[in-house]
Amino acid sequence: MVIGAGRAPRRREAAVTDIRREALTLPGVALGPTNPLPPLHPLDEAHRIDERSREGLPLGMARQLGYRPLTSVLPERIRDGYGRDRAPVTLDTIVIENDRLRATVLPGLGGRVASLWHKPTERELLYRNPVFQPADFALNGAWFSGGIEWNIGATGHTTLSCAPLHAARVEAPDGTAMLRLWEWERLRDLPFQVDLWLPDGSDFLYVGVRIRNPHEKPAPVYWWSNIAVPEERRVLAPAEEAWHFGYTHTLRRVPVPVSEGADRTYPLNSEYPADWFYEVEDGRRRWVAALDDAGHGLVQTSTDALRGRKLFVWGGGTGGRRWQDWLTEPGTGGYCEIQAGLARTQLEHVRLEAEGEFSWLEAYGPMAADPALVHGAGDWGAAVGEVERRLGEVLPRADVDAAYAAWLPCADAEPGERLADGSGWGALELLRTGGKLAGTPFEESTLGAAQEPWRELLETGAFPEPRRVGPPGPTLVAPEWRDMLETAPARPLSEYHLGVAQWHAGDRAQAVRSWERGLELAPSLWPLLRCLAVADAAEGFAERAADRYAEAFDDLCAERRDGGEVWVAVSAALGREAISALLSVGRVQAARDVWDRVHPETRARGRFRLLEAELLLAEGDVPGAREVFVAGFEVADLREGAEVLADLWARVAPDEPLPPAYDFRMRPDA
C-alpha cells in the first residue's frame, strides 16, 4: 500500500507519476524593471497591530508578536515596474501528474501552484486566476493572486512571490517522481525547500517543507501556505473561536461561526476585508476546507507542526469588490484564501534555534461531504464533524504522519535533472561560509552579475568600482557583509553600500558619515545624495531633505542616458520621491521642474497621474486636479490598504462621493 495515498492504489508494474515542463499563455503584463533605489524607508506593512490589542493575549502569542518583527525589506529591492496594459504572456510551468490529479507549478514565480485539477470529477480545486496581474501586496511590491503560495520571511506576502526558485526532479518516498523547489530567503537569511509529489493512485498532493537555520544564532521564522479558492464556499476548520484581524489593526477573539450577527464562515457575509485565525485546540487534527453548496471543494491538512489555520475574505463591500476586479478579471468570480501557518496568527514569528530546522508535511485534495450537514443552519459542530469524518476516511491522520516519516530521509536526497534556476544569492552565502546543505545545492554556476562584486569583496577584501556609469547594484546588509565593507578600502561605492548596511542595522549616524565620505570622491553624486535625503527626512529635517532631493535629481539628469530601461526606472523612482519631498515643504515650482524632466512615458503612468493631481492641487488648480480623476487613471502599484486615492479625492471634490473606480477602501471610515 502506498503510504498516505488516501485510498488503496490499483496494482501497477511501474509508478505513473509524471513531471514535465510546459508553458502557460494567458493575458498579463511584464514585471518590468526592479526599482533601483535601496528601500531605506520604514517597512510599509498593513498588518501592524494596535498596541491596545496586545492586552490579555495568551503569553506565547504575545511573545511571538514581539519577536523580531521586520522593519525593512533590505537587502531586497522593490518591484514596481509593472503596469496594467495586458497582452498575452507565456509563463514557464512544471506539471506534476498522476492518474488522479494534475498540479501546475510556476517555478519562475515563487513556485506557485497555479492549478490543482482533479481528473475523476473534472474539477479545479483552487481558484485559478485567468490573468497574470501583479499588484503591490508583497513585502517588496509585486504579487499576484490565485493558486497556492509559499509565504516565508516575515508578516505579509513573501518577497519571492514574483521571483524564480531552483527546481529539480528527485525520487519520492514511494519511488515516484518528486519536484523539489528551493531558494535562499534573504530577509531572514534562511534556506528552505518545498517537495511536491503525487503517489500513484493518490487523490492528494503531498508537500514536504523544510526551513533550516545554518547560522550560529537563533532566527525568527514565518511561514504560511496561502491557498486561493472560489469565494462562494463555506470555510470550515476544527475551531470554536478565532482571532479576528482587520485593516483597523485590531486583534480580538471572536466566536465561530457567528460573530456580530452573521456567519463569517461564508466569505461574502463580511463587508470589509479581514482575517480569521482559527483557534485549533492542541491535539486536534489540523485541517481547513472550503466547500460549495453541493459539499464539494478542497481540503488541506498537515502534520501538527503547521498549527495555524486562517480564512481571509475580501468581503461584499465596494472596496473589497474593487480589489477583486483589480487582481483578477471582472466577471470571472471572486476568491477568498484559506491558509496554514507555523503560528496562531500571521502577526507572529517563531524562534528557530541555531543550526536547527522546522519541517512538516501538507496534503491537498478534493473533499466531498453531505451538503445538508455542511450547510446545516446553526449546527457548526455537525458541519465540522462531517468534514472531519470524511477526511478521516479518504486520508487518515496516521497516513499523513507516516508519509511525513517516509519523506524525511528523502529531504536530503541530491536533486537530479534540473528544471529551473533560482538566484545566485544562496551560492554566494555558501561561498562565504564554506558550508554545504544536503538536498539543496546552491551551485557556483548560478552566480550572476548581481553577486559578482560581492564575490570580489569576499575574495580580495575590496569592493570594485563600476566600469561604467549607472545606478548601484543591490546591497548586502547581513552583519558579516557589513564587517567586510567596514574593512574594505574607503572608495565611493563601498562607502555607499556600507552606509546602506549601517542604516539597516539601525546605526543611522554612522550611515550618514559613510555616505558623506563617499560624496567627497564619487563620480555619481545622486545615489549618495538620495540616501542622505532619506536620512534628513527621517530626522525631521524636511527642508534639507528637499534640498538634497532636488540636487540629487539634477545630478541624475546630467548623468543619465535617456531611453534605457534602467535610466527610465531610476528617473521615475527618484523623481517621484523628489516631487513628494518638495511638495511637503511647499516648494511647488521646484516640484514642477522635477516633473517636467521625468521621461514622458513615465508621466503617463497612473502613479504619476496621481502625482500630477497632487501637483495641480498644490498649484491651486483644483479643476485641473479634478480633471485628472475624471479623465481616468490606474495606479498599478497601489499599495494594499492605501487610502491615498480617497484622501486626495476628498480634497479635490469634498462634496462628491468617491467614484467607484477609485474606491479601494478596506476598512470603515475612521
Side-chain angles (χ1 to χ4, degrees):
M1 179 175 180
V2 176
I3 293 175
R7 65 182 186 87
R10 295 183 293 277
R11 297 252 179 215
R12 301 178 182 274
E13 295 197 0
V16 298
T17 301
D18 179 42
I19 295 180
R20 63 185 182 274
R21 290 182 220 167
E22 290 189 356
L24 172 66
T25 300
L26 73 173
V29 299
L31 283 168
T34 300
N35 189 319
L37 303 181
L40 302 176
H41 300 285
L43 179 66
D44 178 15
E45 178 48 53
H47 304 98
R48 63 185 186 277
I49 183 173
D50 186 300
E51 288 301 317
R52 291 170 295 181
S53 295
R54 297 179 183 270
E55 299 175 3
L57 295 177
L59 290 179
M61 181 190 292
R63 182 175 60 252
Q64 292 183 164
L65 280 170
Y67 180 49
R68 293 178 61 183
L70 196 70
T71 58
S72 167
V73 298
L74 285 166
E76 294 284 1
R77 291 283 182 87
I78 303 299
R79 304 207 67 160
D80 59 3
Y82 50 88
R84 289 190 59 82
D85 294 328
R86 295 179 192 149
V89 297
T90 299
L91 307 175
D92 292 331
T93 70
I94 300 174
V95 174
I96 317 170
E97 186 170 14
N98 68 359
D99 58 338
R100 310 285 294 178
L101 284 172
R102 181 170 64 247
T104 302
V105 179
L106 304 176
L109 295 168
R112 183 81 58 101
V113 179
S115 169
L116 187 60
W117 178 259
H118 188 234
K119 297 180 183 181
T121 59
E122 297 186 334
R123 292 178 183 272
E124 173 59 60
L125 301 182
L126 306 174
Y127 173 78
R128 182 171 183 169
N129 199 331
V131 301
F132 174 63
Q133 178 57 64
D136 191 2
F137 276 68
L139 288 163
N140 64 334
W143 172 85
F144 65 105
S145 62
I148 306 171
E149 176 186 17
W150 316 115
N151 278 306
I152 182 173
T155 299
H157 292 284
T158 176
T159 60
L160 296 167
S161 293
C162 291
L165 302 190
H166 300 282
R169 188 189 301 265
V170 188
E171 186 173 299
D174 60 355
T176 61
M178 180 165 70
L179 173 64
R180 173 161 300 161
L181 305 167
W182 73 98
E183 191 41 284
W184 196 282
E185 199 286 315
R186 301 178 67 213
L187 297 183
R188 302 301 195 182
D189 259 341
L190 300 176
F192 72 99
Q193 70 189 78
V194 179
D195 289 353
L196 304 98
W197 76 101
L198 290 167
D200 185 20
S202 174
D203 282 301
F204 283 81
L205 172 68
Y206 286 170
V207 181
V209 182
R210 178 167 63 166
I211 304 170
R212 286 182 275 188
N213 179 9
H215 307 297
E216 296 178 352
K217 295 181 180 179
V221 170
Y222 172 93
W223 182 280
W224 282 81
S225 301
N226 181 2
I227 311 141
V229 293
E231 67 182 349
E232 293 182 351
R233 300 286 189 270
R234 190 181 201 189
V235 172
L236 302 103
E240 303 293 329
E241 293 183 311
W243 295 92
H244 173 271
F245 182 77
Y247 287 82
T248 56
H249 308 297
T250 57
L251 182 67
R252 56 193 175 89
R253 194 192 293 255
V254 298
V256 174
V258 177
S259 174
E260 297 181 345
D263 188 335
R264 306 298 177 174
T265 62
Y266 291 92
L268 290 172
N269 281 353
S270 297
E271 182 176 2
Y272 292 98
D275 301 324
W276 276 267
F277 299 103
Y278 294 114
E279 186 69 41
V280 181
E281 293 180 0
D282 290 342
R284 189 116 187 226
R285 187 174 187 182
R286 311 282 165 172
W287 60 268
V288 63
L291 306 180
D292 64 15
D293 289 345
H296 295 286
L298 172 82
V299 65
Q300 186 271 1
T301 188
S302 71
T303 49
D304 289 350
L306 204 64
R307 64 164 299 173
R309 292 299 185 275
K310 170 195 163 179
L311 164 65
F312 168 78
V313 303
W314 285 108
T318 54
R321 305 328 297 167
R322 184 69 181 103
W323 274 117
Q324 290 268 31
D325 289 346
W326 186 258
L327 295 168
T328 61
E329 180 69 17
T332 59
Y335 74 94
C336 64
E337 294 169 358
I338 56 176
Q339 302 191 22
L342 283 175
R344 276 189 177 98
T345 73
Q346 289 176 329
L347 307 172
E348 303 168 66
H349 297 90
V350 181
R351 179 185 173 105
L352 177 57
E353 297 299 335
E355 300 180 349
E357 67 177 51
F358 290 143
S359 63
W360 63 90
L361 184 114
E362 305 179 44
Y364 297 80
M367 170 55 61
D370 184 344
L373 292 175
V374 168
H375 300 284
D379 198 342
W380 174 246
V384 170
E386 165 67 1
V387 177
E388 207 155 39
R389 182 181 67 80
R390 294 294 182 99
L391 177 59
E393 291 174 351
V394 297
L395 187 61
R397 185 176 187 177
D399 283 8
V400 175
D401 292 338
Y404 170 66
W407 166 72
L408 269 180
C410 301
D412 281 345
E414 289 305 303
E417 178 193 2
R418 295 305 173 93
L419 301 171
D421 288 328
S423 78
W425 296 114
L428 184 66
E429 286 302 315
L430 293 187
L431 271 181
R432 182 184 62 78
T433 63
K436 182 180 180 182
L437 291 168
T440 55
F442 294 94
E443 297 175 348
E444 288 191 41
S445 60
T446 62
L447 292 169
Q451 294 83 39
E452 191 53 41
W454 298 95
R455 180 176 186 170
E456 186 168 333
L457 172 65
L458 181 65
E459 294 175 348
T460 69
F463 199 91
E465 287 295 302
R467 294 186 178 89
R468 59 182 180 179
V469 172
T475 304
L476 294 181
V477 296
E480 297 82 1
W481 292 103
R482 188 174 72 245
D483 290 345
M484 281 185 260
L485 287 168
E486 286 176 345
T487 58
R491 300 168 180 166
L493 190 55
S494 61
E495 293 291 345
Y496 161 85
H497 286 299
L498 175 57
V500 173
Q502 290 166 332
W503 183 268
H504 175 265
D507 195 346
R508 293 186 172 184
Q510 286 289 4
V512 168
R513 281 192 281 272
S514 295
W515 291 327
E516 288 176 339
R517 283 196 305 268
L519 270 179
E520 295 174 6
L521 296 174
S524 295
L525 302 181
W526 65 264
L528 294 152
L529 287 169
R530 183 264 178 177
C531 291
L532 289 167
V534 174
D536 284 333
E539 294 300 319
F541 301 119
E543 287 284 356
R544 194 165 71 194
D547 286 340
R548 280 184 159 145
Y549 266 122
E551 188 180 352
F553 196 77
D554 288 346
D555 187 67
L556 171 64
C557 290
E559 178 181 291
R560 73 186 182 190
R561 308 293 188 263
D562 285 331
E565 182 182 71
V566 173
W567 290 109
V568 171
V570 75
S571 298
L574 184 56
R576 174 178 163 184
E577 290 187 12
I579 292 169
S580 295
L582 290 162
L583 288 179
S584 73
V585 295
R587 291 165 58 177
V588 180
Q589 185 55 53
R592 174 61 71 179
D593 290 343
V594 172
W595 168 270
D596 289 341
R597 287 177 290 162
V598 172
H599 292 86
E601 61 266 40
T602 298
R603 294 200 298 266
R605 293 172 57 183
R607 171 62 65 180
F608 280 80
R609 294 284 287 156
L610 175 63
L611 199 55
E612 182 183 18
E614 292 185 48
L615 185 55
L616 288 166
L617 196 60
E619 291 171 334
D621 187 357
V622 177
R626 186 182 185 282
E627 182 56 34
V628 173
F629 277 87
V630 172
F633 62 90
E634 293 184 320
V635 182
D637 60 329
L638 185 68
R639 184 66 175 161
E640 174 189 11
E643 299 177 351
V644 60
L645 291 172
D647 291 346
L648 190 59
W649 176 258
R651 294 169 58 200
V652 168
D655 298 324
E656 299 181 47
L658 180 66
Y662 303 114
D663 191 352
F664 293 88
R665 291 173 292 189
M666 301 176 79
R667 60 174 183 159
D669 291 336

